[in-house]
Amino acid sequence: MHQPHDTSTHPAPRAAFTAADAYTLRTALDALGGVRDLDALDVACGHGGTVTLLTGGGARRTVGVDSCPDRLRRARAAASGSAAVEYVLADAAAMPHLGPFDLATAVYVFSHAPDREALHAMFRGIRANLRPGGRLLSLVRNPGAFPRVDWSPYGVRILDRVQEGDAPLLKAQLLTEPPQHFEYREWAHADFAEAAVDAGFTTVGWQPSRTPPADPARDEAYWSAYRAWPVSSLMTCTA
């Protein structure tokens, strides 16, 4: 399964939606009491941005999983010398047993499930790697914005929505230079919740996207407009 981009490590200046994602995830981890001395799994780890957040917070063991050898090569190079970090080549819908873990993170991976079977397999694989009481924190894309909302000021543009398969296919661009094209499935939050419960998670909750403090480049009006219809929400599940 192909996750075409890594939103956790974005060329400077960081896209606004990516900055909001990082702030949302970091504050959620802080609210849980941090990650010190926990065993943590990051699914679809990309170039290792979230892994760095987990190891920097004092995680005892951190494993990053991704399906792209090149992304893992870059992540391993960045983590050179860190004995607490492991990287594993695997598809999120065919997760090997690597745990048990106290915490799993997943940034946008579920949006790339091509069908309902793969979506449920992703949740089952993560749940199987968590200890009882372990947590899953996942940033998931919000449905329903296109064509009513323009996310271009925040670093991403939706180009088209194609009704096909188990969920509509959205065609999009990351507004880098040059733009990076990618596609993802517009799963409803109810689809994610159904897959989580089917996998054996005992609780499923949602938190709105949080935004970093305003600054001269991105003032409060800018972030207020984003919070009215953000790219993502934070899904929290308990094993």
Side-chain angles (χ1 to χ4, degrees):
M1 191 170 308
H2 180 54
Q3 286 88 47
H5 62 283
D6 174 18
T7 60
S8 62
T9 53
H10 213 51
R14 172 180 277 187
F17 85 93
T18 307
D21 287 344
Y23 190 77
T24 299
L25 186 58
R26 187 171 65 252
T27 54
L29 290 170
D30 289 345
L32 290 177
V35 299
R36 183 163 300 281
D37 297 328
L38 299 184
D39 297 322
L41 171 69
D42 184 41
V43 183
C45 63
H47 298 156
T50 301
V51 168
T52 298
L53 174 66
L54 296 169
T55 56
R60 176 174 52 199
R61 176 193 180 213
T62 306
V63 177
V65 175
D66 201 278
S67 61
C68 174
D70 184 59
R71 286 196 293 265
L72 286 182
R73 178 184 59 79
R74 297 184 188 186
R76 287 190 181 106
S80 179
S82 177
V85 178
E86 304 165 49
Y87 284 105
V88 175
L89 179 66
D91 193 291
M95 282 277 293
H97 185 70
L98 302 167
F101 296 94
D102 305 293
L103 172 73
T105 54
V107 177
Y108 293 143
V109 61
F110 300 125
S111 297
H112 295 286
D115 52 39
R116 196 169 301 277
E117 181 180 357
L119 179 65
H120 282 239
M122 288 179 178
F123 278 93
R124 285 196 301 270
I126 294 173
R127 173 63 187 87
N129 274 282
L130 287 173
R131 294 185 172 98
R135 300 293 186 92
L136 166 63
L137 301 183
S138 178
L139 287 164
V140 298
R141 291 188 172 94
N142 290 325
F146 182 80
R148 291 172 285 175
V149 178
D150 179 16
W151 283 326
S152 298
Y154 304 99
V156 64
R157 177 184 294 127
I158 309 301
L159 305 175
D160 197 12
R161 182 178 187 270
V162 181
Q163 192 72 44
E164 65 167 43
D166 292 337
L169 182 69
L170 293 187
K171 300 182 178 184
Q173 287 179 327
L174 289 177
L175 299 181
T176 53
E177 187 56 50
Q180 300 176 50
H181 290 263
F182 68 102
E183 298 177 346
Y184 68 92
R185 293 286 171 176
E186 191 182 34
W187 296 103
H189 285 187
D191 294 317
F192 295 135
E194 177 186 64
V197 171
D198 178 66
F201 285 97
T202 59
T203 69
V204 179
W206 302 93
Q207 298 177 29
S209 179
R210 301 193 65 181
T211 53
D215 59 32
R218 296 167 176 168
D219 61 16
E220 179 54 31
Y222 175 89
W223 284 123
S224 179
Y226 179 79
R227 289 193 297 270
W229 205 313
V231 170
S232 69
S233 296
L234 182 72
M235 182 183 187
T236 62
C237 304
T238 306

